[in-house]
Amino acid sequence: MLIVMHQSATKEHIDKVVKAIESRNYQARPLPGGERVAIGVLYNKGAVDASMFSGMPGVKDVIAVTRPYKLVSRELKHDDTVIQVGNVKIGGNHFVIMAGPCAIESEDQALTIAEQVVKKGAQIFRGGAYKPRTSPYSFQGLGEEGLKIMARVREKTGMPVITEVMDLQTFDVVEAYADIVQIGTRNMQNFSLLRRAGQSKKPVFLKRGMAATIDEWLMAAEYILEGGNTNVILCERGVRTFVNHSRNTLDISAVPVVKQESHLPIIMDPSHAGGHREQVIPLSRASVAVGAHGLMVEVHHDPDNAMSDGAQSLYPDQFEHLCKQVHAIRQAMNPDMGSQKK
Ligand code: PEP
Ligand code: MN
């Protein structure tokens, strides 16, 4: 249930409603909006009697929340969530491009790629230090050394950095270095990891599980918000289907559905969806056109010798084309839209 307060409601009015909720052994979550405060009621086992709150001073409306997810839902928070990372804004009318290699391989490799992508249109640098690999014999990432390299990339280029956390043991160290903590597709329903992410002060980038429904994905995000971290960015990276012409199938329709259901930003990852370099630019164009809040793209200066995901990594020049096309499409869709292009 959601209790919407009048614009003129005072702090005392809000506190009284919170107390009334808590006295019934529910939890109250005040959610400041653009114009008025709304208060979410959580942990109610069944329906809550609206009349208990509707007559209280300052209360404008009492609305039943019909979805299983609450804090992530647009029913509870109407305005888009906009997350600030350094100088970059993610969500709302902002569009962000994150780019970099699949894995951090060396300082030289990371800096070479970062200097290219920042020049060509990226605002955030991506790279894996702890890599979830299908084979135990494949390169597993440089671990903390990779995180240190990312910190140097941030220092030299000014770009905030995003990197994946794979487990509870390494959460603290990843969180210490990263500007955004990524939870990958294989961990979307790792509930202890989600709970730990809920305690983090860093924004969390939650990739959709490769076989997860949108409800399951939003419920996973709900764990993080329920833990107290409201800065969650969703990422669609393709789901498993019967096809073999692409690595996964990018679920384009997830974007309008998620935007209708949730106030959280949604970013598309055309690289892990397509799995082949030649699919990445067309899928990026489609992602922009369908209304995603940004892209995460793998780029490598020498993809033939990349230690992971070379086949889907763009050359820096291709990345530049991608950025130009993306901005042209955005401009055509809404000439008044703000651009973060430097
Ligand atoms: C990645 O972004 O490096 C990654 C492993 O992605 P996913 O979890 O989508 O496979
Ligand atoms: Mn990859």
Side-chain angles (χ1 to χ4, degrees):
M1 175 171 288
L2 183 67
I3 301 172
V4 182
M5 303 300 289
H6 274 293
Q7 234 172 318
S8 58
T10 62
K11 187 175 174 312
E12 284 70 45
H13 291 150
I14 295 167
D15 289 348
K16 268 206 174 141
V17 173
V18 167
K19 279 217 179 88
I21 294 168
E22 288 173 351
S23 71
R24 285 161 178 97
N25 285 331
Y26 309 141
Q27 251 196 43
R29 282 297 167 86
L31 307 152
E35 298 196 333
R36 52 172 57 89
V37 171
I39 305 170
V41 181
L42 301 181
Y43 293 107
N44 49 303
K45 295 266 166 357
V48 180
D49 181 2
S51 65
M52 290 192 299
F53 306 104
S54 49
M56 292 184 72
V59 172
K60 179 173 184 284
D61 219 348
V62 180
I63 303 168
V65 177
T66 56
R67 304 292 197 265
Y69 35 86
K70 303 190 186 301
L71 298 170
V72 306
S73 104
R74 233 190 241 286
E75 286 183 323
L76 231 82
K77 180 172 182 277
H78 180 262
D79 302 334
D80 281 356
T81 287
V82 176
I83 298 168
Q84 177 103 29
V85 186
N87 293 326
V88 184
K89 288 193 170 88
I90 304 171
N93 286 331
H94 305 276
F95 192 85
V96 66
I97 301 182
M98 309 179 177
C102 180
I104 302 296
E105 299 166 10
S106 69
E107 181 159 346
D108 256 14
Q109 173 252 17
L111 275 172
T112 304
I113 297 168
E115 274 157 13
Q116 292 280 331
V117 297
V118 71
K119 207 166 62 192
K120 297 180 187 306
Q123 291 96 39
I124 294 182
F125 182 70
R126 68 142 286 145
Y130 296 92
K131 293 301 306 172
R133 302 305 301 276
T134 302
S135 164
Y137 307 114
S138 301
F139 176 58
Q140 305 285 306
L142 295 179
E144 189 170 358
E145 181 48 32
L147 298 174
K148 288 183 179 161
I149 293 171
M150 294 197 86
R152 288 199 279 277
V153 167
R154 172 174 49 217
E155 232 171 78
K156 292 218 167 160
T157 64
M159 278 187 288
V161 299
I162 174 168
T163 194
E164 177 164 354
V165 65
M166 290 216 314
D167 49 38
L168 286 176
Q169 295 92 303
T170 52
F171 205 109
D172 288 1
V173 70
V174 172
E175 184 183 41
Y177 286 96
D179 296 296
I180 305 174
V181 174
Q182 174 172 324
I183 294 183
T185 191
R186 296 160 187 82
N187 266 320
M188 189 206 82
Q189 281 189 320
N190 180 336
F191 298 112
S192 36
L193 202 61
L194 297 174
R195 286 206 187 281
R196 174 63 184 81
Q199 289 163 15
S200 180
K201 298 273 177 285
K202 296 282 170 75
V204 176
F205 190 82
L206 181 65
K207 287 195 155 193
R208 178 180 179 182
M210 61 183 85
T213 63
I214 289 178
D215 275 8
E216 288 164 341
W217 186 19
L218 293 178
M219 289 307 282
E222 185 81 11
Y223 267 83
I224 305 173
L225 273 83
E226 197 275 337
N229 186 353
T230 53
N231 291 327
V232 174
I233 303 155
L234 300 166
C235 174
E236 159 63 39
R237 46 78 72 203
V239 289
R240 271 289 163 84
T241 65
F242 54 89
V243 308
N244 57 12
H245 61 270
S246 59
R247 185 174 175 183
N248 292 286
T249 297
L250 187 66
D251 184 3
I252 292 284
S253 61
V255 177
V257 174
V258 164
K259 284 177 83 172
Q260 184 180 306
E261 291 297 312
S262 177
H263 49 86
L264 297 173
I266 174 162
I267 305 285
M268 297 293 251
D269 174 347
S271 306
H272 291 90
H276 302 280
R277 189 173 304 127
E278 60 277 15
Q279 296 182 16
V280 173
I281 293 181
L283 291 177
S284 300
R285 289 196 297 254
S287 301
V288 183
V290 81
H293 294 109
L295 296 170
M296 168 178 266
V297 184
E298 287 186 340
V299 179
H300 202 290
H301 64 300
D302 182 13
D304 287 348
N305 291 304
M307 294 175 88
S308 72
D309 285 350
Q312 66 195 34
S313 299
L314 295 184
Y315 288 94
D317 284 351
Q318 292 179 309
F319 176 66
E320 186 173 9
H321 284 304
L322 180 153
C323 292
K324 284 190 178 144
Q325 294 189 10
V326 160
H327 289 295
I329 294 169
R330 268 180 49 78
Q331 205 60 33
M333 283 167 64
N334 186 352
D336 303 327
M337 254 182 195
S339 164
Q340 289 187 36
K341 195 161 183 256
K342 287 182 192 140

